[in-house]
Structures are given as C-alpha cells and as structure tokens.
C-alpha cells in the first residue's frame, strides 16, 4: 500500500529494546499515475479510524471491564423482557467495545433492532433464550471464540438455521476456509466497508425469508395432502421431516374397517347434482375425521363407502388396532347422527350406516406406476371386512372373531358363523350395538 502511494517503508529493530516502522509518503498527486487518482475526495470517517486503531491498541482493562459489565446487564435485561419489534433482530458479539458499538450503530441506523454483547458465552445464552434473525460475531474472542460459537449454533436444532456473519482481522485463506467449514454464511475482514456489511446482512436476511416461505409452503402442501389419508401423528412427523416409512408392499397384520351408507342412492335421486356432491362430501369429511381421531388411515373412498386401515402405516399392536377401529366406528355413527339431524331439518332426509371390521394379514404398501400410485391393502382380509359390512344391519357394527377377542366381556354379542359372499369358509361374527352417547375414549378406557 505504501509503494502504491509512491512511498517507502523501513524497519529498525533491536532485540530487547523494540521495533520502529517508518513510513514515508510524498504529499500531493503529481507522483501518482493518472489512473490512480479519484475524481472525488473520499469521505473521512474519524470514528472508523478510531475503531481500526483500537483494534490494535485496545482499552485499559478497567475501562473494558466496566463497559462489558454494563452491556452484559443490558443483554440479560433484553433477554428477560423479550423483543417485540417487527424489525429483524440482529445480535452483535465482539469483545472489543469500540468495534462492537461501531457495528451496532451501523445496523441500527439501517433500521435493524440490535442487541450487542461482549463475549461468546453471553452471546450463546442470548441466542438460546431468544434466537435472533442474524448473528454478527468476531472471530478472535476469549473463552468461546467465533468459530466455537458457530460450531455450537450449528449443532443445536432450534438455532442451527440462523445466518452468521464472521468478522475478523485475519484475512488469510485458511481462516476463511475454517469459517466456511464451521458454517459461517459470510466473512468480512477488518477493516470492512459499511455498505459491504449492510449488503451481506440484507442478502442473508432475504435468503432466510425466502427459505422460511418455501418451508411454510412445503409444510402446507405436505399437511393439506397427507391429512386426507394419514393420522395426525404421521402428518405431523411428515411436516417436520422426521417421518420414516418403508412403503414397499409387504404382508402385515392389520385391522380393516369397511363402511357404507344405506339409502344414499334413493336420496340422490331427489337432489340436484351439486347438492348430492355437497352432502356426500359432508358425510365423507365427518367419517374421515372419526377415523383420524382414532389413529386410522383412510385407504380409499369407493363412492359413499369408506375403507380404513388400523396398524398401517402407523404400527399398532393387534389389541390397539381392534379397539381403535371399534372406537372409530362408534364415532362415525355419532357423526352421522348429527348430520342426519341437520339434513332432516333442511328437508333432505336421513341415511343409515353399516360397518364391518376384520383383523387379518394383508399385503400393504404402494401400488401403481411411476405416474400414479396408491397406498392400499389387498388380500382376503380386506374382502372379509367388505362382506361383513354387507351382512351388517343398520345401527350395528359387525366384527369377526379376530376383532371381538380384544373387546371387554359383554361388549360384543355373538351372532354365529356366517357364509359371506365370495368367502370360502364361514366367518364367526359378533355384533356390537351402537352407543350414541359415549365418546371415542369409552372403549379404550376399559
């Protein structure tokens, strides 16, 4: 830099006595190439010059201690009260008071809400207490260094996504690479330009806002699609990215609930097409809700029929499957009773409901092609549940012995062996009376 100004720099050093650097720079501009002369004078920033000198000289220990104590107390107060501003919240961490104040002032003047702390330990506590929108941290600090801070932030799930700008006087490649490897989003070497700092902050905040919008959209799409088919617990895991399912078709023990309504065809002949669709969607929504409330999965809708699975894809014990399926069926009856009450008041009429439940092995998983797939169950067990539904009377839940064995004594009434259509062997069946008063937890509490 001295040579670019047409000057020279010399050094005199004596062991045990000290070292003197001498810089000589000619005044004026006649000695400089024309291309090196700016047309406009550069603005002089005495505050910045003071900060850069202070980076070398430092304050007296007692002055530094007093400032750090005051700022730590202010940080604790801010963490206790919480920040309610809608502005982006930026945390500045630097053990040098002048530089800390300088960076904070630049950001405040740009409209950001700034919290400044004097060391990595206090900074980490502030981040954990109320995560900021962005962190600006010095690299070389006593105790928890800038790299240590970044490493810790990136290791904690709740705060690992916060953008981090690393400030340091060490401008070598090794330091830059180390910062990038630990997870720094931007790297500014001292002395830095105010506009450069603000540009990095603006860009990182904009990128983070875009990431947040994309994440919210993905969560919405995930939930809006999957909640039509999967239980709420699985939908939540899918939205969080923690759902792990092997949906390859495989044999497994499941409980199948098959339900249908009686009289809907006659009802639909008296209504306009749009009203028929509205009534059917109201019915299917109410039935689906009962299934989801009890941990089931809607396999498919077949017209006004509903096929639901318990024990797939969410693992449940055979006893839990049976009890949850019965509880879902009872709730489906109650939901239909409320719909019938309203439909009758609207002059639409009422419909009746029947339900069959069977537990057995089936092949469960994704079936279809690369363009269109369904998660479903196939096998004789599904057919048995469907035929039980056909044999059931209105206001009665018909179950096989494989389901009845998990129910409390006296809860199911044995009907006998039935020869179901399309089933080679007779199926021992039990009838369960619909309980229009009890809630879904009544059976599960036995």
């Amino acid at each position: 830099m001295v040579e670019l100004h047409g000057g020279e720099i010399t050094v005199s050093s004596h062991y045990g006595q000290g070292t003197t650097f001498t810089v000589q720079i000619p005044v004026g501009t006649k000695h400089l190439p024309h291309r090196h002369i700016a047309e406009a004078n550069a603005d002089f920033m005495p505050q910045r010059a003071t900060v850069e000198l202070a980076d070398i000289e430092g304050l007296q220990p007692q002055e530094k201690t007093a400032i750090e104590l005051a700022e730590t107390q202010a940080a604790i107060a801010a963490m206790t009260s919480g920040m309610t501003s809608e502005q982006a919240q930026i945390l500045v961490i630097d053990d040098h008071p002048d530089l800390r104040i300088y960076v904070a002032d630049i950001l405040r003047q740009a409209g950001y809400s700034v919290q400044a702390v004097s060391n990595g330990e206090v900074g980490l506590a502030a981040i954990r207490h109320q995560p900021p929108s962005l962190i600006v941290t010095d690299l070389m600090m006593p105790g928890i260094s800038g790299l240590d801070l970044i490493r810790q932030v990136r290791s904690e799930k709740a705060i690992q996504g916060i953008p981090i700008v690393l400030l340091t006087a060490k401008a070598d490649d090794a330091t830059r690479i180390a910062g990038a490897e630990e997870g720094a989003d931007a790297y500014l070497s001292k002395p830095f330009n105010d506009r450069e700092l603000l540009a990095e902050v603006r860009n990182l905040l904009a990128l983070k806002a875009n990431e947040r919008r994309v994440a919210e959209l993905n969560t919405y799409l995930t939930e809006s699609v999957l909640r039509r088919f999967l239980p709420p617990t699985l939908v939540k895991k899918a939205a969080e990215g923690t759902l792990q399912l092997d949906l390859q078709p495989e044999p497994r023990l499941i409980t199948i609930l098959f339900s249908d309504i009686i009289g809907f065809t006659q009802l639909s002949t008296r209504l306009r097409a749009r009203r028929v669709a509205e009534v059917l969607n109201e019915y299917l929504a109410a039935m689906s809700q009962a299934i989801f409330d009890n941990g089931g999965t809607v396999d498919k809708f077949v017209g006004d029929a509903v096929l639901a699975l318990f024990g797939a894809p969410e693992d449940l014990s055979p006893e839990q499957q049976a009890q949850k399926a019965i509880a879902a069926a009872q709730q489906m009856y109650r939901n239909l009773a409320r719909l019938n009450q309203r439909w009758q008041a609207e002059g639409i009429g009422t419909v009746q409901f029947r339900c069959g439940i069977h537990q057995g092995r089936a092949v469960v998983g994704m079936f279809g092609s690369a363009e269109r797939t369904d998660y479903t169950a196939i096998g004789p067990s599904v057919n048995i549940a469907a035929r039980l539904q056909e044999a059931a009377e209105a206001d009665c839940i018909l179950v096989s012995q494989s389901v009845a064995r998990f129910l409390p004594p006296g809860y199911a009434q044995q009907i006998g062996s039935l020869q179901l259509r399309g089933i080679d062997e007779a199926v021992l069946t039990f009838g369960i009376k619909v309980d229009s008063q009890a809630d879904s937890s009544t059976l599960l509490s036995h």
Side-chain angles (χ1 to χ4, degrees):
M1 185 178 292
V2 171
E3 290 174 353
L4 285 173
H5 280 276
E8 61 179 19
I9 181 169
T10 58
V11 60
S12 172
S13 182
H14 299 281
Y15 183 76
Q17 298 179 18
T19 301
T20 301
F21 290 89
T22 303
V23 176
Q24 293 180 315
I25 298 178
V27 296
T29 59
K30 292 181 180 180
H31 60 283
L32 298 175
H34 181 71
R35 67 181 184 278
H36 287 176
I37 301 175
E39 303 239 346
N41 292 329
D43 293 332
F44 177 60
M45 301 172 63
Q47 183 187 21
R48 178 172 173 180
T50 302
V51 169
E52 291 166 1
L53 288 173
D55 238 0
I56 300 172
E57 297 172 354
L59 296 181
Q60 294 299 317
Q62 62 270 23
E63 294 175 322
K64 185 175 181 180
T65 303
I67 294 174
E68 287 183 349
L69 178 60
E71 288 190 339
T72 301
Q73 291 172 342
I76 294 173
M79 288 187 287
T80 305
S81 62
M83 300 178 185
T84 59
S85 172
E86 295 182 358
Q87 299 170 313
Q89 309 288 334
I90 299 180
L91 177 65
V92 176
I93 309 172
D94 199 304
D95 63 320
H96 197 288
D98 278 342
L99 188 61
R100 185 167 66 249
I101 295 169
Y102 175 60
V103 172
D105 284 346
I106 292 173
L107 296 170
R108 287 193 183 102
Q109 290 171 14
Y112 298 111
S113 178
V114 182
Q115 179 185 1
V117 298
S118 59
N119 59 69
E121 185 177 0
V122 177
L124 190 57
I127 295 166
R128 288 168 172 163
H129 179 82
Q130 183 164 343
S133 308
L134 183 139
I135 301 166
V136 178
T137 181
D138 188 22
L139 173 64
M140 295 179 289
M141 296 184 292
I144 298 179
S145 69
L147 291 182
D148 292 335
L149 179 83
I150 295 173
R151 193 178 300 116
Q152 190 63 46
V153 168
R154 295 296 183 241
S155 69
E156 298 183 21
K157 183 177 179 180
I159 57 176
Q160 63 186 191
I162 301 173
I164 301 177
V165 178
L166 190 62
L167 301 179
T168 180
K170 295 181 68 176
D172 57 283
D173 290 341
T175 304
R176 288 179 178 273
I177 293 171
E181 288 177 340
E182 295 298 341
D185 297 279
Y187 185 105
L188 293 180
S189 57
K190 306 172 189 175
F192 56 85
N193 185 283
D194 300 0
R195 290 175 59 189
E196 185 181 10
L197 171 63
L198 292 175
E200 291 286 8
V201 169
R202 279 194 303 269
N203 291 338
L204 288 174
L205 290 175
L207 286 172
K208 195 63 184 178
N210 286 334
E211 288 179 7
R212 187 166 54 251
R213 283 192 289 269
V214 170
E216 289 171 353
L217 178 60
N218 285 338
T219 299
Y220 167 75
L221 292 175
T222 300
E223 292 183 347
S224 63
V225 172
L226 294 184
R227 68 185 177 189
R228 302 178 186 178
F229 307 100
L230 298 179
T233 53
L234 292 184
V235 174
K236 182 180 179 182
K237 289 181 180 179
E240 294 172 346
T242 59
L243 181 63
Q244 295 181 345
L245 293 175
D246 181 6
L247 299 181
Q248 293 297 319
E250 62 174 359
R252 62 190 297 172
L253 181 70
I254 59 172
T255 299
I256 304 102
L257 181 153
F258 200 101
S259 66
D260 201 355
I261 49 180
I262 308 169
F264 186 77
T265 302
Q266 293 82 354
L267 180 66
S268 62
T269 59
R270 297 188 287 103
L271 301 175
R272 291 177 299 175
R274 175 173 294 183
R275 189 58 181 133
V276 170
E278 292 173 349
V279 169
L280 182 57
N281 281 331
E282 289 174 1
Y283 165 77
L284 294 177
M287 299 303 102
S288 298
Q289 190 61 55
I291 293 167
F292 294 152
D293 286 348
N294 291 281
T297 301
V298 175
D299 182 313
K300 63 172 64 71
F301 302 123
V302 186
D304 53 21
V306 181
L307 174 60
L309 309 178
F310 294 81
E314 185 174 22
D315 290 327
L316 296 170
S317 69
E319 182 175 8
Q320 288 176 319
Q321 294 178 26
Q323 293 183 349
K324 286 178 177 291
I326 297 298
Q330 293 282 17
Q331 186 176 335
M332 292 166 82
Y333 272 105
R334 289 191 296 275
N335 288 356
L336 179 60
R338 285 191 286 271
L339 287 175
N340 273 330
Q341 188 176 11
R342 179 162 58 81
W343 289 341
Q344 193 168 18
E346 295 173 357
I348 295 175
T350 60
V351 297
Q352 292 181 302
F353 178 85
R354 59 191 183 192
C355 180
I357 303 175
H358 174 67
Q359 185 176 100
R361 298 193 70 80
V363 179
V364 186
M366 300 299 297
F367 292 86
S369 65
E371 291 76 21
R372 174 72 164 83
T373 58
D374 283 329
Y375 181 79
T376 188
I378 59 173
S381 295
V382 180
N383 297 334
I384 291 174
R387 301 310 175 213
L388 284 171
Q389 174 272 139
E390 288 181 353
E393 298 180 353
D395 298 330
C396 178
I397 304 168
L398 204 60
V399 304
S400 64
Q401 183 182 23
S402 60
V403 174
R405 64 194 178 104
F406 294 113
L407 304 179
Y411 192 85
Q413 180 70 38
Q414 181 173 331
I415 294 177
S417 296
L418 296 182
Q419 191 65 52
L420 303 176
R421 183 168 64 90
I423 307 299
D424 294 336
E425 297 181 0
V427 178
L428 183 59
T429 59
F430 294 76
I432 298 173
K433 186 177 180 181
V434 175
D435 188 349
S436 60
Q437 302 299 323
D439 60 32
S440 301
S441 63
T442 300
L443 173 64
L444 302 180
S445 66
H446 278 72

